[in-house]
Amino acid sequence: MKNEAIYILDFQKTDLSKFDLVGGKGASLGALSGIDGVKVPAGFCITTEAYQEIVRDNKTFLSLLNQLTVLKADNRKDISEISAKIRKTIEETPIPTSIRNVIFRYLEDSGESNAYAVRSSATAEDLPTASFAGQQDTYLNIIGKEEILKHIRKCWASLYTDRAVIYRLQNGFDQKKVYLAVVVQQMIFPDVSGIMFTADPVTSNRKVLSIDASFGLGEALVSGLVNADNYKVRDGQVTDTKISAKKLAVYALTDGGTKQRGIETNLQKTAALSEPHILQLASIGRKIEKHFGHPQDIEWCLAGDTFYIVQSRPITTLFPIPQMHEQDNDGVEPRLAAPHSGESSLRVYVSVGHQQMMTDAMKPLGLSFWLLTTPASMRTAGGRLFVDITPLLATPAGRETLVNVTLGKSDPLIKDALITLIKREDFTKSFPDDKREAGPSRNNQAVSRPDYQTLNEYNSTGGPAAMVSDLIRRNQTSVETLRQNIGTKSGSDLFDFILEDIRQLKKDLSDPQSFGLIMTGMNASLWINEKMDEWLGEKNATDILSQSAPNNITSEMGLALLDVADVIRPYPAVVAYLQAVKEDSFLEKLDQFEGGKESRGAIHAYLNKYGMRCAGEIDITKPRWHEKPTTLIPIILGNIKNFEPGAGIQKFELGLQEASKKEQALLERLRQLPDGEQKAGETKKMIALLRNLAGYREYPKYGLVNRYFLYKQAVLKEAERLVQAHVIHKKEDIYYLSFEELREVVNTEKPDYQVINQRKEEHKINEKRTPPRVITSDGEIISGRYKRENLPAEAIAGLAVSSGVIEGRARVILSIENAVLEEGDILVTSFTDPSWTPLFVSIKGLVTEVGGLMTHGAVIAREYGLPAVVGLENATRLIRDGQRIRVNGTEGYVEIL
């Protein structure tokens, strides 16, 4: 027989290091018991060793468990049936005498006639990333040794409730590697009990502590039987109190068990806690949070004047606070200027991903390359990038720029969040404008509006259209030079070469001429929409005027894939082969089919021009189409099925005609107005600017992604050498290192796999997080709202970015690899970056959760003439795949029909 100490541990012998033996709840209670000033009801843990002793050789249990492990989370019927059989098996299995005797001895020492709480404590609960709260069972006020044994078996069985099994499946936990301990703890018979969050669970503000309280046992609150009081505490003061009508409470019975009881009418609206008690409890909460090192979800109860803590677990839903990254663009830690006199210490961060249309988590190497590339002051959190806009918010001019020119124009939800923040009394004090802070800072991604007339009159190089052509030629030459030179570099020389090239890339990206052209095109668009609405009552006129604009590398990419389909369409054997393709090496086998050589040539030509693109392309670690060409196969096959030959040029020509007709119609109407000739003349100039410059906005990012792909190929070549030398396990492991860490590994051939593996786990966690648009240094997420009236009933509001109204079948697609579209479908997705453009030729409308007026999806939707609504939060959950919907891209809302 095993040493009895392996089956039972009292709280004093338990802490977080015993997690595998006593589970999350037991480990937490042991740790809580060791904190000075925190009272925990006495008790002990029946360890996972006892549970394993019960099930280890139980053939019925093992057979059922094998059946359970092969099921998917959506197979609810089979999960329910098998889980019920497992629970019955465990509850009917007798506890071995050796374990019974140990339990009885502890109960005799503790007082066998006392009442106890018998609580499940799994090895997959109360984790920093998954709380598993409420997944296993708890039994209160259990009296008598045999009753306690019975409920211990019930706790073991509750490891296999339907909800617990499904939760584990959804979170990727192996059913065979999750064990259960049981906590047996002396009952407290409280006057009041509840839950305390040391960070506000609604706003995520780490400085606001939130307490829910109700009369009697906490069971009434946890099970939702009663509306609890809620108290908010900040900096040692109660800042908000909400008293609810508490009509019910759960109390312990003298002979065991619990019962609901009504509360007297005159007490229902009485505060459950006095202010001194609220502050005392808040102090205990902060002490517990400090001990564990992160915000906690704490269960507590009050008996007489004594607070008891019966559980504490990490709050797993909080998005991390953006932190200063380890290095800035030149390998040196960036330093923000100290706040000026009177400036709040609160910092405000805005998501980069919502501006770049890539809200997915990035791997460390991807973050590192972007930090090296961007001129902005960046911070990282949850695998995402954020810009610190605090210095700009500190001045009236800076706020005006952020709210009404840059961020506000591109994303109304960010605009509303910033306005909400600025209006607060406790926010940053205003400063008078001065030369140092009055204007926006390019380092904070804020921009001024250039005078379009100055650029329009600058004709020394032939005007804006010629300037665009010159910039594109210069970029192409620069990329080709990089392609020739980078292949000659290796080792440390390669990293020095890349750093030097990135410095040149940063200069190109911030080139005043290039930047001026982009802003001039954007301002021309804004001017036209404002003036046409004012003069003619016409909304969003530029949506049609922008169609088939020249030099738009992204829209050309979508049409070019139609041309690829034209090459393949005449060859049925090639089409059949592509329909069965699974491997990315499929191009090598195309020549065996009639038309295979021509088809391979067309795909190769496409990849040579656009193969560096992919979803989330600002993350250098993402697989490019050149590396994963199978991504394009469903789109090519869809084009073959849905379009006639020549569709690409036809679509482009149709866009040209629509834009020309719109221009002529507007000018004709303007000439009928007072001062009509002048208005028409101004508008014609602005339309020329729009047409000549709108497409160029897409080119700088195309140039950046070209360079990124060349960098990636070069560092992967180094990684391949490290794999061959058995220094690293596989080349993709380098994605979990920063640029400088990778350089160090290349030089020393000594990778730290503890760091690499830890970051792999962190990335899995980050992938599940939803990044906020705006977050403060207190961790508070500031959410914006659309403020619009007169929408149809149950319409879902978003931002109108491409006019028109269309009805059709919604296709909810989260990954471009899974995109199967019929012509006329409406694409509903989280976000679209340039890589999604080839899908736009097949759809007739677009709905995204993320985006703004000038983000890629909006620009291409206008160029293709697709009604589009973006920034529609939770669109992929509110709209189901296959539903018929109406998209109003003029007013900015979606209706489910």
Side-chain angles (χ1 to χ4, degrees):
M1 186 187 79
K2 289 187 178 180
N3 185 328
E4 64 180 38
I6 202 69
Y7 297 127
I8 301 287
L9 286 174
D10 62 37
F11 291 166
Q12 282 67 40
K13 296 178 182 177
T14 302
D15 56 28
L16 296 182
S17 69
K18 302 289 196 308
F19 179 89
D20 289 342
L21 273 177
V22 298
K25 197 175 280 95
S28 174
L29 287 167
L32 286 165
S33 299
I35 305 174
D36 288 341
V38 175
K39 290 188 177 294
V40 178
F44 58 89
C45 300
I46 301 159
T47 70
T48 55
E49 285 290 336
Y51 165 78
Q52 291 182 76
E53 191 76 22
I54 295 295
V55 301
R56 185 179 289 119
D57 298 319
N58 189 319
K59 292 180 180 178
T60 304
F61 167 81
L62 294 173
S63 173
L64 291 166
L65 184 59
N66 285 333
Q67 296 174 45
L68 190 65
T69 54
V70 298
L71 299 177
K72 302 294 184 186
D74 57 357
N75 197 338
R76 302 296 172 93
K77 183 175 180 293
D78 289 344
I79 288 172
S80 183
E81 290 177 0
I82 296 171
S83 296
K85 292 176 182 177
I86 291 177
R87 292 195 301 275
K88 185 172 185 292
T89 299
I90 292 173
E91 287 187 41
E92 292 177 351
T93 299
I95 298 176
T97 303
S98 57
I99 298 176
R100 286 169 60 97
N101 290 342
V102 179
I103 294 171
F104 286 174
R105 193 153 53 247
Y106 266 78
L107 288 172
E108 288 163 5
D109 292 343
S110 304
E112 60 184 274
S113 60
N114 290 338
Y116 291 89
V118 183
R119 312 172 72 192
S120 305
S121 180
T123 56
E125 69 174 7
D126 299 345
L127 304 173
T129 58
S131 74
F132 284 77
Q135 299 305 314
Q136 281 82 45
D137 290 346
T138 287
Y139 301 96
L140 301 178
N141 200 28
I142 307 301
I143 301 171
K145 292 190 289 188
E146 291 300 331
E147 279 297 302
I148 289 171
L149 287 184
K150 173 183 170 184
H151 286 87
I152 288 169
R153 287 197 299 271
K154 282 180 171 290
C155 282
W156 284 334
S158 74
L159 190 59
Y160 295 97
T161 60
D162 294 3
R163 66 181 182 273
V165 169
I166 291 167
Y167 192 92
R168 290 196 293 272
L169 286 171
Q170 291 171 334
N171 284 274
F173 285 86
D174 187 339
Q175 305 286 350
K176 292 182 176 181
K177 295 182 180 178
V178 178
Y179 309 117
L180 197 97
V182 179
V183 170
V184 180
Q185 189 174 23
Q186 288 186 18
M187 274 292 295
I188 300 295
F189 300 100
D191 305 304
V192 184
S193 55
I195 300 168
M196 169 168 51
F197 297 93
T198 63
D200 191 316
V202 177
T203 67
S204 298
N205 193 327
R206 270 70 159 180
K207 290 190 176 178
V208 175
L209 188 145
S210 179
I211 298 170
D212 286 348
S214 62
F215 296 123
L217 293 165
E219 184 66 19
L221 190 156
V222 173
S223 60
L225 293 173
V226 66
N227 292 323
D229 291 351
N230 179 256
Y231 314 106
K232 298 288 175 68
V233 180
R234 178 169 183 156
D235 299 328
Q237 292 186 321
V238 179
T239 58
D240 189 46
T241 299
K242 176 188 172 186
I243 308 300
S244 297
K246 300 171 286 295
K247 297 181 180 180
L248 286 173
V250 174
Y251 291 98
L253 298 172
T254 54
D255 56 350
T258 61
K259 184 178 181 179
Q260 293 179 28
R261 199 166 75 202
I263 297 175
E264 295 175 25
T265 305
N266 63 322
L267 295 177
Q268 289 178 4
K269 293 285 285 184
T270 302
L273 290 177
S274 66
E275 184 164 319
H277 275 147
I278 294 169
L279 296 178
Q280 181 187 353
L281 180 58
S283 177
I284 294 170
R286 290 298 182 211
K287 188 178 292 186
I288 293 170
E289 179 186 61
K290 184 178 180 181
H291 178 82
F292 286 113
H294 37 74
Q296 296 288 298
D297 166 1
I298 300 166
E299 295 176 27
W300 57 269
C301 56
L302 175 65
D305 276 331
T306 302
F307 280 105
Y308 293 90
I309 304 301
V310 294
Q311 177 59 354
S312 184
R313 61 175 69 89
I315 303 176
T316 61
T317 56
L318 300 175
F319 194 85
I321 298 172
Q323 299 294 322
M324 189 76 74
H325 201 267
E326 61 188 19
Q327 64 179 39
D328 75 352
N329 316 322
D330 298 311
V332 180
E333 184 180 28
R335 300 288 182 187
L336 290 172
H340 303 306
S341 175
E343 184 179 339
S344 168
S345 61
L346 185 76
R347 312 301 291 183
V348 181
Y349 311 110
V350 171
S351 164
V352 173
H354 286 82
Q355 303 295 306
Q356 288 291 331
M357 300 301 288
M358 207 290 278
T359 56
D360 289 346
M362 296 171 70
K363 296 185 180 76
L365 190 63
L367 287 169
S368 189
F369 263 94
W370 189 258
L371 287 164
L372 287 166
T373 305
T374 179
S377 173
M378 294 273 180
R379 296 203 173 199
T380 60
R384 276 80 171 188
L385 291 160
F386 293 82
V387 177
D388 185 354
I389 61 168
T390 313
L392 277 170
L393 286 175
T395 69
R399 292 179 206 168
E400 171 67 21
T401 299
L402 287 174
V403 171
N404 293 318
V405 179
T406 54
L407 298 178
K409 282 289 185 187
S410 66
D411 191 325
L413 291 176
I414 291 179
K415 177 178 182 176
D416 186 62
L418 294 179
I419 290 172
T420 299
L421 194 60
I422 290 167
K423 285 180 178 178
R424 290 186 181 174
E425 292 181 7
D426 61 345
F427 186 61
T428 310
K429 296 177 181 178
S430 292
F431 295 95
D433 288 294
D434 62 37
K435 292 180 181 178
R436 177 183 56 195
E437 291 273 18
S441 162
R442 285 294 304 280
N443 284 340
N444 287 286
Q445 286 195 335
V447 293
S448 59
R449 297 178 66 161
D451 181 357
Y452 74 89
Q453 290 180 334
T454 301
L455 187 58
N456 195 30
E457 292 164 5
Y458 177 65
N459 291 315
S460 63
T461 57
M467 293 164 71
V468 166
S469 297
D470 181 56
L471 284 169
I472 290 174
R473 274 195 305 273
R474 280 159 47 189
N475 185 276
Q476 290 171 338
T477 301
S478 178
V479 169
E480 190 52 42
T481 301
L482 171 63
R483 191 189 315 278
Q484 293 170 8
N485 292 337
I486 199 169
T488 66
K489 308 296 180 184
S490 62
S492 191
D493 289 345
L494 171 65
F495 291 87
D496 291 339
F497 177 82
I498 290 174
L499 278 178
E500 186 57 40
D501 194 76
I502 286 176
R503 290 189 184 99
Q504 182 58 48
L505 172 59
K506 286 166 65 175
K507 289 180 183 177
D508 292 344
L509 291 174
S510 59
D511 177 74
Q513 187 182 74
S514 175
F515 188 74
L517 289 168
I518 292 170
M519 287 307 299
T520 300
M522 292 172 66
N523 289 331
S525 175
L526 295 171
W527 187 94
I528 293 167
N529 279 340
E530 289 170 4
K531 294 300 183 183
M532 295 309 99
D533 192 15
E534 176 188 342
W535 293 340
L536 299 175
E538 172 127 12
K539 287 189 174 182
N540 305 325
T542 58
D543 291 359
I544 295 176
L545 293 170
S546 301
Q547 291 184 27
S548 298
N551 295 314
N552 191 320
I553 191 72
T554 305
S555 64
E556 290 169 6
M557 177 174 69
L559 298 176
L561 208 56
L562 286 170
D563 297 338
V564 174
D566 286 350
V567 174
I568 298 172
R569 187 181 289 106
Y571 304 110
V574 173
V575 173
Y577 170 67
L578 293 180
Q579 287 170 339
V581 155
K582 300 275 190 236
E583 301 297 326
D584 287 309
S585 58
F586 71 92
L587 287 169
E588 300 169 6
K589 301 176 184 177
L590 266 175
D591 283 5
Q592 63 185 292
F593 303 104
E594 182 187 359
K597 185 176 181 181
E598 294 84 350
S599 300
R600 181 166 55 82
I603 295 173
H604 265 307
Y606 186 86
L607 291 174
N608 285 339
K609 188 167 185 179
Y610 304 109
M612 77 298 296
R613 310 219 81 153
C614 67
E617 59 195 9
I618 66 170
D619 182 353
I620 200 170
T621 71
K622 294 273 190 178
R624 313 282 139 172
W625 291 343
H626 228 304
E627 300 166 304
K628 194 175 174 56
T630 49
T631 304
L632 297 173
I633 296 302
I635 308 172
I636 294 172
L637 292 172
N639 289 346
I640 291 170
K641 177 182 177 182
N642 296 326
F643 296 100
E644 296 296 324
I649 189 64
Q650 290 170 17
K651 280 182 174 286
F652 187 78
E653 291 294 336
L654 181 61
L656 282 177
Q657 293 169 20
E658 293 291 324
S660 178
K661 281 195 292 185
K662 188 63 168 179
E663 178 178 2
Q664 295 310 313
L666 289 173
L667 296 178
E668 211 169 293
R669 291 170 64 192
L670 287 170
R671 292 190 180 104
Q672 310 305 314
L673 302 177
D675 299 322
E677 287 298 331
Q678 181 183 338
K679 288 184 170 78
E682 290 178 358
T683 302
K684 187 174 179 63
K685 287 182 179 178
M686 299 303 286
I687 291 173
L689 281 175
L690 174 71
R691 296 286 304 167
N692 283 321
L693 300 179
Y696 176 68
R697 183 188 177 280
E698 296 290 303
Y699 204 89
K701 188 175 183 183
Y702 172 73
L704 179 147
V705 174
N706 257 299
R707 301 184 96 87
Y708 265 26
F709 186 45
L710 294 173
Y711 301 156
K712 182 180 184 179
Q713 288 177 308
V715 296
L716 282 178
K717 187 177 176 182
E718 289 295 310
E720 188 60 50
R721 181 184 64 78
L722 294 174
V723 171
Q724 295 299 325
H726 305 291
V727 173
I728 60 175
H729 303 158
K730 54 183 181 178
K731 60 185 181 181
E732 290 79 13
D733 288 347
I734 69 168
Y735 296 161
Y736 299 92
L737 300 170
S738 72
F739 182 89
E740 287 300 326
E741 288 169 341
L742 177 55
R743 182 211 287 263
E744 185 70 14
V745 170
V746 168
N747 287 340
T748 65
E749 298 193 345
K750 292 179 180 178
D752 186 340
Y753 261 93
Q754 186 175 348
V755 169
I756 291 171
N757 291 331
Q758 179 186 343
R759 288 179 182 170
K760 286 181 179 180
E761 291 304 312
E762 287 172 356
H763 182 68
K764 289 178 186 176
I765 295 163
N766 289 335
E767 285 182 306
K768 297 177 183 178
R769 300 186 193 275
T770 300
R773 283 175 165 83
V774 180
I775 186 170
T776 73
S777 53
D778 289 345
E780 182 180 5
I781 293 171
I782 314 293
S783 298
R785 294 184 298 115
Y786 292 107
K787 296 181 175 69
R788 293 212 304 275
E789 299 175 353
N790 305 319
L791 290 182
E794 299 185 14
I796 310 168
L799 174 64
V801 295
S802 186
S803 61
V805 180
I806 201 74
E807 294 181 10
R809 180 181 67 163
R811 293 310 316 272
V812 180
I813 297 172
L814 300 180
S815 169
I816 192 172
E817 290 89 346
N818 301 322
V820 179
L821 292 162
E822 300 286 342
E823 187 177 13
D825 284 344
I826 296 171
L827 175 62
V828 180
T829 189
S830 302
F831 59 83
T832 61
D833 62 7
S835 71
W836 288 72
T837 303
L839 295 180
F840 284 25
V841 299
S842 295
I843 61 176
K844 63 178 180 180
L846 174 69
V847 179
T848 68
E849 295 178 336
V850 176
L853 192 63
M854 298 308 295
T855 46
H856 300 281
V859 170
I860 304 305
R862 290 194 291 273
E863 179 149 338
Y864 282 0
L866 305 173
V869 179
V870 303
L872 197 155
E873 290 199 290
N874 300 315
T876 58
R877 292 194 286 275
L878 295 171
I879 300 169
R880 294 197 306 273
D881 186 58
Q883 281 186 320
R884 190 166 182 80
I885 63 173
R886 179 184 296 125
V887 176
N888 190 317
T890 305
E891 300 295 335
Y893 62 84
V894 174
E895 296 172 275
I896 299 174
L897 304 179

